[in-house]
Amino acid sequence: MKPFSTIIIVALFGLFQIIVSTSDHLNVVVTPELSNKCQQQIQAIEKSNSYNVQMDLATCIHTAGHIRVALEIYSFIEESFPFDAYVQVNKAAAHLTLGEVGLARDSMRQYFDQVGGIDGSGIPTDTVAAQKGSPCSNTSVYKLDCVNALNNFAAIELTDGKNSTAVTTYLHRAIEIGVEDMLNKVYVNYGGHLSTIGNDDGAAEAFTKGFLINLKRGDLEAATAALVRRALIIPKVAESSEQVEQTRITFTARIRDIIKLANDGGTTSSMRSDLFNAVSKTEDISIPKLSNTLHDWTTGIQVPHFHYHYLGFHDNALQKEVAEMFTLLCPDELYEISPHLAAQRQTRPKKRVGIISSLIGGDEPHGLLVQPVVRDLKNIFDFVIISVGSKQPSQEFFKATDGNVFSTGYDETETKQLLHSLELDCLIYLEAMNTAQLYFLGYQRFAEVQVLVMGAPVTSGIKTFDYFLSGDLLEHPYRTQLKADHYTEQVVLFDGQAISFPDSQHHLPQDSALAAGDAYSNVTSLEQMTLLAKQDTHLFVCFQNIAKIQPSFDHVLVDILLADPKAHIILQASRHAAQTSSLSNRLEKTLQERLCGSQECSTQSFQSRIHYIARIKSDQIIEFLQRSGTSSVVLQPFPFDGSKTTSDALNAGVPLVTFPQTHLRGRMSSTLIRAMFSENTPDDISMCCIANSVSEYVSKALRLTSDLQFRNRVSAAIQQRSPRVFNNKSVSLEWAKFLTRALEQRISNQELEYEIGFGDADRHYQSFSAKAIENDQHRWRESVMLE
């Protein structure tokens, strides 16, 4: 330990900061607000600079939400007291909040190395562990330290979402050595883990245990958060069509039960849903009113109900009920308004537009959707990019915004402070459902105009979103004639194709093993595809997130296998083996029913033609598709298809088939295909890939693999025409029209066209896109789906 190591506190009116002034002194300059919160710790450190006192101060600053300040102090403590290991646990938590998953993992590994490993069998170098034995041994008197550390290590791997085996190992070990009172957070993390890998019953039981332990401890906030997470469980891979429908019913019932508990309280036996099925029927536990209990909503909830919209239901009413639930559970601060909106407006040369996303990294589709837009409109608007989570924005955004790019990790406090300080005129969310951080930021008002984009193509249900950006082709042509509007926001329909990706992408470094997860093998996915293509096979490739393969799509795959003896289905294996097994079992059951009805028979010959190939790095996907050979077709699933996967197939020159659905989530692929084939295309080619029914979907897919002359014509047409759907200037023009009108900026369409370089060729192409909408309406007029 270094002699004379000290932390010096300096009060200052202004922003806090860390100053490392000498090798053995750390000056912490704080605001009065931080000084008040940590007054006892500051007073203590003025008398003593011991390890415990320094840790108390750092922990106080950490829990107050000043993560970077706390991290500097943790690093100072680590250097000053190298044989006191627990600082690594807190340091890891700080790194994780900042989105620095790798550094968080390194700190946790160092902690366990110092205390003798997760089973306590090693030789500890930690000061306390060397004297009293490892905290990770079954007989330790201070094993709470190890339980907390194991829980934190699992949380790191859970956040990263790629190493389910590690999560299971750490949480099982924590439950093995801990007693009930220590496991309140462990069971909640365990519930999140089990839900992720597909064990929904186990997840419900774990969340319920977490709820009951926290309720018994008197921690009503943690109990509420655990109960909500139990309510939000949605099967990642449904067992059947019946389970899909049952999910809609039970999910809605659970949300309504929590609304009842928020308003009135109740008992476990009085709930109408399956919310407390994991509680013994002999127990009847009283629950107080839960309103205004959820203050740290992002940390408590972790993951919103993202997977619900894969099921294909009409989401408007449900989304509003979920928003009502959180409005009741959270205090009024949930709807905080940025101070600059109440003050007199600033006059700026250009309107300031923020774009926020958790998926704006180099190869993430949400970021790619707006990358050309930011580049084309940078002279009209002052763009600011805000990335939350662990993914770093690509260099293209730095270039297009002159460096106005910020990464705030998982630190909600820092993100809110940044958004307040930017004093935005408009804030655009590329998605709201993928992370709790973005979902709950959406309830707050950081700009006069707040916009939700089709990154996650589902309405929010949140009243602070003003607009939802979609397109004429992206929506049902008779959307306004359907029973109810799908959106809670005002929908803005762009003309033309409405979505466009850049023709080139920047791919961040990735690890093949982490991308594949449980499906990793010595034979790479590229090698597997090459081997299959060299055989006398017809390859039907549906390389989508496994959650998109819904039971309604199973019969398409089975129809193809039954109709074509050469057919081989290529599906993407999940990172979590349990999810892949669930899908495999469901397809086997469907085959059994179709082939044999109620009789037993072997389906092995058909199952052997379904291949689950590991996820690959994003920079390999186009090569992967190209290796599928000249007798292949890409299948877009329904009711949820894909825009980026469609653009990848077009880039690879591989034909694809899609069946447009009622809602946006099932119409992205058909929009790009129609835009590509909108001009001077032979009728058989223009209709090659868009089906109007399930039977037509199957017949189009079969023709594209068996009629090689036709497939070659389609592939050649794609290669010739696909460049028009990338970097599409009409999309940027539609964005410019919307933003100038929404922000009351007086500029003519001619001026906008000039600024973004919109020329005669773009105008010519736009007119053919309008024709595509008319054709679409004609087709849908006779479609049974309208009925």
Side-chain angles (χ1 to χ4, degrees):
M1 182 176 65
K2 293 165 61 176
F4 313 119
S5 295
T6 58
I7 294 179
I8 301 172
I9 303 295
V10 182
L12 183 73
F13 288 91
L15 294 176
F16 58 79
Q17 57 182 311
I18 287 288
I19 305 171
V20 182
S21 55
T22 69
S23 61
D24 57 359
H25 288 80
L26 180 68
N27 290 354
V28 183
V29 183
V30 300
T31 61
E33 175 264 338
L34 187 57
S35 178
N36 291 335
K37 284 186 176 179
C38 302
Q39 186 175 13
Q40 288 184 338
Q41 291 77 9
I42 291 171
Q43 290 174 348
I45 210 163
E46 289 172 350
K47 300 175 183 177
S48 168
N49 262 281
S50 69
Y51 170 82
N52 288 336
V53 171
Q54 291 190 20
M55 279 289 287
D56 285 346
L57 174 65
T59 303
C60 179
I61 292 173
H62 189 161
T63 55
H66 303 301
I67 309 301
R68 297 186 191 278
V69 180
L71 185 58
E72 290 286 353
I73 302 177
Y74 289 141
S75 298
F76 183 78
I77 295 170
E78 175 189 12
E79 187 178 355
S80 302
F81 301 93
F83 299 109
D84 289 275
Y86 199 79
V87 67
Q88 298 296 339
V89 178
N90 286 9
K91 187 179 176 186
H95 279 305
L96 184 61
T97 301
L98 297 175
E100 299 164 350
V101 177
L103 294 174
R105 188 182 289 115
D106 291 343
S107 291
M108 289 308 309
R109 286 173 177 161
Q110 185 172 336
Y111 169 79
F112 284 111
D113 285 344
Q114 287 187 252
V115 299
I118 68 170
D119 59 358
S121 62
I123 300 174
T125 58
D126 170 70
T127 302
V128 178
Q131 296 172 353
K132 298 182 179 180
S134 173
C136 297
S137 67
N138 290 329
T139 58
S140 174
V141 295
Y142 70 112
K143 56 189 174 186
L144 177 60
D145 282 4
C146 184
V147 169
N148 289 342
L150 287 164
N151 182 65
N152 285 13
F153 208 171
I156 292 167
E157 298 297 350
L158 196 59
T159 301
D160 203 29
K162 296 173 183 175
N163 195 340
S164 58
T165 303
V167 180
T168 301
T169 300
Y170 301 140
L171 293 177
H172 278 185
R173 181 59 182 161
I175 292 170
E176 182 181 351
I177 68 172
V179 296
E180 181 182 273
D181 195 50
M182 299 177 182
L183 300 176
N184 54 313
K185 294 180 180 178
V186 173
Y187 275 121
V188 173
N189 273 347
Y190 193 40
H193 171 54
L194 292 176
S195 177
T196 297
I197 65 175
N199 183 350
D200 296 331
D201 291 340
E205 183 177 356
F207 283 134
T208 304
K209 283 183 178 178
F211 165 75
L212 293 174
I213 294 171
N214 281 300
L215 192 65
K216 190 183 297 184
R217 288 164 56 96
D219 190 342
L220 201 55
E221 177 170 13
T224 299
L227 192 61
V228 172
R229 293 192 69 184
R230 186 271 171 273
L232 297 183
I233 292 175
I234 298 161
K236 303 300 184 296
V237 180
E239 294 177 1
S240 63
S241 297
E242 291 75 20
Q243 190 189 36
V244 170
E245 177 59 23
Q246 189 61 33
T247 295
R248 180 186 65 80
I249 295 169
T250 55
F251 186 88
T252 304
R254 291 197 294 265
I255 298 303
R256 290 174 181 174
D257 271 349
I258 292 186
I259 289 174
K260 180 180 182 299
L261 289 172
N263 284 319
D264 306 316
T267 63
T268 54
S269 65
S270 65
M271 300 296 102
R272 297 182 180 180
S273 70
D274 61 350
L275 195 58
F276 292 106
N277 277 6
V279 178
S280 170
K281 298 299 183 182
T282 59
E283 295 182 81
D284 192 12
I285 299 166
S286 178
I287 304 169
K289 286 177 61 173
L290 300 182
S291 60
N292 298 318
T293 57
L294 195 57
H295 296 268
D296 190 359
W297 41 76
T298 296
T299 303
I301 302 306
Q302 295 287 315
V303 181
H305 47 297
F306 172 73
H307 281 83
Y308 186 87
H309 64 266
Y310 283 142
L311 304 179
F313 295 119
H314 182 85
D315 292 337
N316 183 314
L318 178 87
Q319 292 288 67
K320 288 194 285 189
E321 287 197 75
V322 172
E324 179 189 354
M325 176 184 73
F326 283 121
T327 301
L328 291 168
L329 294 177
C330 301
D332 292 342
E333 288 76 17
L334 179 66
Y335 288 98
E336 183 179 352
I337 299 175
S338 192
H340 81 279
L341 296 175
Q344 187 174 1
R345 290 191 190 183
Q346 274 188 286
T347 301
R348 297 192 184 104
K350 293 189 289 187
K351 296 287 187 178
R352 182 172 295 168
V353 178
I355 299 177
I356 189 167
S357 174
S358 63
L359 296 168
I360 204 165
D363 49 13
E364 289 290 351
H366 297 189
L368 292 173
L369 277 174
V370 294
Q371 193 184 103
V373 176
V374 172
R375 181 196 60 215
D376 290 342
L377 307 187
K378 65 180 181 180
N379 292 329
I380 306 172
F381 303 102
D382 179 16
F383 284 107
V384 182
I385 306 299
I386 304 104
S387 174
V388 302
S390 60
K391 296 182 181 293
Q392 298 300 307
S394 65
Q395 287 300 311
E396 284 77 3
F397 282 114
F398 282 89
K399 295 174 186 174
T401 64
D402 295 327
N404 281 331
V405 178
F406 300 89
S407 298
T408 58
Y410 299 100
D411 190 341
E412 185 173 14
T413 300
E414 181 178 342
T415 307
K416 286 174 62 176
Q417 289 173 344
L418 172 65
L419 289 170
H420 288 317
S421 68
L422 289 172
E423 298 190 353
L424 298 168
D425 297 297
C426 176
L427 179 58
I428 298 167
Y429 289 74
L430 299 188
E431 76 283 337
M433 295 295 298
N434 295 64
T435 66
Q437 187 176 355
L438 273 181
Y439 178 74
F440 287 110
L441 285 172
Y443 282 85
Q444 296 160 68
R445 175 67 70 173
F446 298 103
E448 186 173 351
V449 175
Q450 299 200 153
V451 182
L452 186 57
V453 184
M454 70 289 284
V458 61
T459 188
S460 68
I462 302 171
K463 61 186 179 183
T464 42
F465 282 113
D466 305 304
Y467 301 101
F468 189 102
L469 299 191
S470 186
D472 278 324
L473 283 172
L474 287 168
E475 295 292 338
H476 190 294
Y478 296 102
R479 180 178 67 84
T480 56
Q481 297 179 29
L482 298 175
K483 290 181 179 179
D485 194 0
H486 180 60
Y487 296 98
T488 59
E489 307 84 6
Q490 180 177 332
V491 182
V492 176
L493 299 181
F494 285 175
D495 291 338
Q497 71 182 58
I499 51 175
S500 179
F501 292 97
D503 53 4
S504 61
Q505 301 168 24
H506 170 72
H507 297 280
L508 301 174
Q510 300 167 54
D511 185 288
S512 295
L514 287 177
D518 295 343
Y520 183 76
S521 69
N522 292 328
V523 181
T524 69
S525 299
L526 291 173
E527 290 169 341
Q528 287 178 273
M529 183 64 94
T530 301
L531 289 171
L532 285 167
K534 285 181 177 179
Q535 302 170 27
D536 186 17
T537 58
H538 297 158
L539 299 185
F540 297 81
V541 184
C542 186
F543 213 62
Q544 288 276 12
N545 182 329
I546 203 167
K548 288 187 179 182
I549 312 299
Q550 291 295 319
S552 58
F553 191 65
D554 291 358
H555 289 282
V556 168
L557 303 179
V558 172
D559 282 346
I560 289 170
L561 289 172
L562 294 176
D564 183 359
K566 292 184 179 182
H568 285 250
I569 306 293
I570 311 298
L571 302 175
Q572 184 183 99
S574 171
R575 288 192 181 107
H576 310 294
Q579 291 185 11
T580 306
S581 295
S582 294
L583 178 57
S584 177
N585 293 338
R586 194 182 78 207
L587 286 173
E588 180 183 357
K589 183 179 178 182
T590 304
L591 278 165
Q592 179 79 33
E593 292 172 350
R594 291 284 299 278
L595 288 170
C596 317
S598 59
Q599 304 297 316
E600 285 292 327
C601 67
S602 174
T603 61
Q604 182 56 41
S605 62
F606 292 93
Q607 290 183 61
S608 65
R609 291 192 279 136
I610 303 175
H611 308 272
Y612 299 91
I613 296 181
R615 294 168 64 101
I616 59 175
K617 299 187 297 180
S618 58
D619 60 343
Q620 296 177 323
I621 186 64
I622 293 175
E623 181 186 356
F624 177 82
L625 294 174
Q626 288 172 335
R627 288 198 186 191
S628 63
T630 57
S631 296
S632 66
V633 62
V634 169
L635 305 179
Q636 284 290 6
F638 52 81
F640 194 123
D641 59 18
S643 55
K644 176 61 166 56
T645 49
T646 297
S647 76
D648 287 335
L650 300 181
N651 239 331
V654 179
L656 67 163
V657 182
T658 187
F659 176 21
Q661 302 291 292
T662 303
H663 301 311
L664 164 62
R665 76 199 75 174
R667 300 180 60 80
M668 297 176 286
S669 181
S670 61
T671 294
L672 289 173
I673 294 170
R674 284 181 178 130
M676 177 179 63
F677 287 148
S678 61
E679 179 186 3
N680 299 332
T681 308
D683 288 344
D684 62 338
I685 299 295
S686 65
M687 296 303 297
C688 67
C689 306
I690 301 174
N692 292 314
S693 66
V694 174
S695 59
E696 191 176 302
Y697 184 106
V698 174
S699 63
K700 286 179 182 290
L702 290 170
R703 184 184 181 189
L704 282 166
T705 56
S706 59
D707 186 343
L708 296 187
Q709 184 178 10
F710 176 64
R711 184 196 185 279
N712 289 339
R713 289 177 59 221
V714 171
S715 181
I718 289 173
Q719 293 177 49
Q720 178 187 359
R721 297 164 187 272
S722 62
R724 66 177 57 172
V725 304
F726 297 99
N727 296 318
N728 188 286
K729 291 286 187 182
S730 67
V731 176
S732 295
L733 180 62
E734 291 300 302
W735 272 90
K737 289 178 182 177
F738 163 71
L739 287 173
T740 52
R741 291 169 186 169
L743 298 175
E744 300 177 356
Q745 214 171 338
R746 293 187 176 182
I747 181 169
S748 69
N749 286 351
Q750 290 76 16
E751 290 175 289
L752 292 177
E753 290 179 2
Y754 175 79
E755 286 290 350
I756 67 175
F758 189 84
D760 291 338
D762 301 302
R763 198 172 293 105
H764 177 73
Y765 172 60
Q766 193 176 42
S767 67
F768 280 93
S769 295
K771 182 66 176 176
I773 296 171
E774 292 180 24
N775 294 338
D776 192 36
Q777 289 176 333
H778 176 73
R779 280 189 293 268
W780 275 87
R781 189 175 293 117
E782 303 185 8
S783 169
V784 294
M785 291 195 67
L786 183 59
E787 298 174 7

